[in-house]
Amino acid sequence: LWCLNFHFLPLCPQLCGAALLAVGIWVSVDGPSFVKIFGPMSSSAMQFVNVGYFLIAAGAVLFALGFLGCYGAQTESKCALMTFFFILLLIFIAEVAAAVVALVYTTLAENFLTAVVVPNIKKEYGSQKDFTQVWNSTMAGLKCCGFTNYTDFEGSPYVRKNGTFPPYCCYDSVNNSFMEPCNNFTAHNMSVQGCFKQLLYDIRTNAVTVGGVAAGIGGLELAAMIVSMYLYCNLE
């Protein structure tokens, strides 16, 4: 086949999909070990979405998309190449839109996530082992408390059982110690920042790294779209 060098570029989504599938299955089967290896930033991401299922779904879509691109390139199928191009274009547009919304409408995103995450904290923290462990890793690593603040834990199984808030909500950053007992009065006076705002701060601090990764992914998607369109236009 002519243009053989181009035929392997659609493998990029397929390889990325396979990697995401593998990581997604790993997180779903053994989330705590994932957190231990990749640290508190990974555990904080696990608060906002079910990372395991999300990665499995994204990996499956990318794997199927990569297969479609490879099939179109190898069989010189215009229909497959055009379908590959448009699906990848839609994904690219969705990513750009999501990035713009995340940057411009941070408060809106926070309100939406609060409505989703906080009820889960009140329901699961202190009763569901993995959920509690992931949150503990997040709060210990980011030096934060809950999603917004200590009030997220009010009425949770942990508070009902122990009569206090998690110790991370009474962390004294000046003395690098925990104030005990971590009751409502102490937690209120300590005013430990919520994990969402702390995560935003960390992302902004590492904006160059985050932007570089995003630019790399976008570049690969653009390259795959250009090659698929090039092949499409040069097929007889």
Side-chain angles (χ1 to χ4, degrees), residues 125-148:
Y125 187 84
S127 62
Q128 213 284 334
K129 183 179 178 181
D130 288 344
F131 182 88
T132 303
Q133 184 174 352
V134 166
W135 263 109
N136 287 342
S137 298
T138 301
M139 293 188 290
L142 297 179
K143 301 296 187 295
C144 57
C145 168
F147 183 80
T148 51

Side-chain angles (χ1 to χ4, degrees), residues 100-121:
V100 171
V101 170
L103 290 173
V104 178
Y105 299 104
T106 304
T107 302
L108 180 63
E110 181 179 4
N111 292 337
F112 172 76
L113 289 172
T114 299
V116 174
V117 176
V118 174
N120 282 331
I121 295 177

Side-chain angles (χ1 to χ4, degrees), residues 34-191:
F34 177 82
V35 173
K36 288 177 183 177
I37 292 175
F38 290 98
M41 287 297 288
S42 64
S43 65
S44 55
M46 293 176 74
Q47 315 308 322
F48 309 135
V49 292
N50 190 319
V51 172
Y53 294 131
F54 175 79
L55 291 179
I56 290 173
V61 170
L62 285 177
F63 189 84
L65 183 61
F67 178 81
L68 178 65
C70 288
Y71 172 81
Q74 295 298 324
T75 61
E76 300 185 351
S77 168
K78 280 194 168 186
C79 179
L81 286 171
M82 186 53 66
T83 303
F84 174 80
F85 173 84
F86 275 116
I87 293 176
L88 204 54
L89 178 62
L90 289 174
I91 293 175
F92 182 79
I93 292 173
E95 289 172 346
V96 172
V100 171
V101 170
L103 290 173
V104 178
Y105 299 104
T106 304
T107 302
L108 180 63
E110 181 179 4
N111 292 337
F112 172 76
L113 289 172
T114 299
V116 174
V117 176
V118 174
N120 282 331
I121 295 177
K122 293 182 181 296
K123 179 182 178 182
E124 305 288 350
Y125 187 84
S127 62
Q128 213 284 334
K129 183 179 178 181
D130 288 344
F131 182 88
T132 303
Q133 184 174 352
V134 166
W135 263 109
N136 287 342
S137 298
T138 301
M139 293 188 290
L142 297 179
K143 301 296 187 295
C144 57
C145 168
F147 183 80
T148 51
N149 55 40
Y150 73 95
T151 60
D152 296 345
F153 296 99
E154 291 178 344
S156 67
Y158 180 92
V159 173
R160 291 200 305 269
K161 179 182 178 181
N162 299 284
T164 60
F165 293 98
Y168 312 102
C169 298
C170 296
Y171 176 71
D172 184 353
S173 58
V174 176
N175 298 315
N176 193 28
S177 61
F178 297 101
M179 303 295 291
E180 295 182 352
C182 190
N183 52 32
N184 198 306
F185 178 78
T186 306
H188 176 75
N189 287 336
M190 298 307 299
S191 300

Side-chain angles (χ1 to χ4, degrees), residues 216-236:
I217 294 173
L220 283 175
E221 291 173 342
L222 282 173
M225 285 190 288
I226 291 170
V227 169
S228 64
M229 185 54 66
Y230 176 84
L231 292 173
Y232 177 86
C233 293
N234 284 276
L235 288 176
E236 296 180 357

